[in-house]
Amino acid sequence: MKKFIFIIIIGLIILILGYNYIYQDHRNIEKENPAFIIDAKILAEQFEIDPATSEKKYLNQTLEVKGVVTAVNENTITLNNKVFCQFSEVISGLKVDNIVKIKGRFIGYDDLLEEIKLDQCHIIK
């Protein structure tokens, strides 16, 4: 009987730990400290030289990127024609040729378009 109770208690502990691991809180990129602070030109050069190594280095990391706005849409902007930034809200007040700092999470590199993709972006003032 004691073994049965012990197994049930261990099982419950494992279930609770598993549940907490699976259903973690989402990251708040806006409040996180950036893992890397870098200029958009330098970031693009790193991906031109060695995309595989650069992608491993930055994947799922918070980046602070400074660059020139080259395209603006409702909730996306492009910096230096290479860094694609997706915002969760509609952005306004940005124009082409503005210099901005963006903080976002690196989600991958698009080989076809040769673009660096960031999501959950926020403008740093």
Side-chain angles (χ1 to χ4, degrees), residues 36-95:
F36 299 95
I37 299 172
I38 192 164
D39 190 83
K41 286 182 184 179
I42 295 169
L43 186 62
E45 288 171 2
Q46 289 179 2
F47 276 89
E48 287 174 7
I49 294 168
D50 190 358
T53 303
S54 298
E55 189 164 17
K56 286 179 187 175
K57 177 180 178 181
Y58 295 115
L59 189 62
N60 206 27
Q61 298 291 322
T62 302
L63 306 179
E64 183 178 308
V65 182
K66 180 179 179 182
V68 178
V69 176
T70 53
V72 179
N73 290 317
E74 188 173 304
N75 66 340
T76 63
I77 66 169
T78 304
L79 302 177
N80 295 60
N81 291 318
K82 295 289 183 180
V83 182
F84 180 82
C85 306
Q86 183 177 16
F87 293 80
S88 55
E89 70 277 347
V90 175
I91 53 173
S92 61
L94 280 182
K95 296 180 182 176

Side-chain angles (χ1 to χ4, degrees), residues 84-119:
F84 180 82
C85 306
Q86 183 177 16
F87 293 80
S88 55
E89 70 277 347
V90 175
I91 53 173
S92 61
L94 280 182
K95 296 180 182 176
V96 174
D97 294 331
N98 285 358
I99 297 174
V100 296
K101 282 186 184 178
I102 303 293
K103 185 172 17 171
R105 179 180 63 127
F106 174 73
I107 57 172
Y109 179 68
D110 186 340
D111 292 334
L112 182 62
L113 299 175
E114 295 181 345
E115 283 185 333
I116 299 155
K117 305 281 187 177
L118 301 177
D119 74 348

Side-chain angles (χ1 to χ4, degrees), residues 1-14:
M1 187 67 168
K2 289 182 182 180
K3 285 183 182 180
F4 181 70
I5 293 173
F6 180 73
I7 291 172
I8 289 177
I9 291 172
I10 295 297
L12 287 174
I13 291 172
I14 290 172

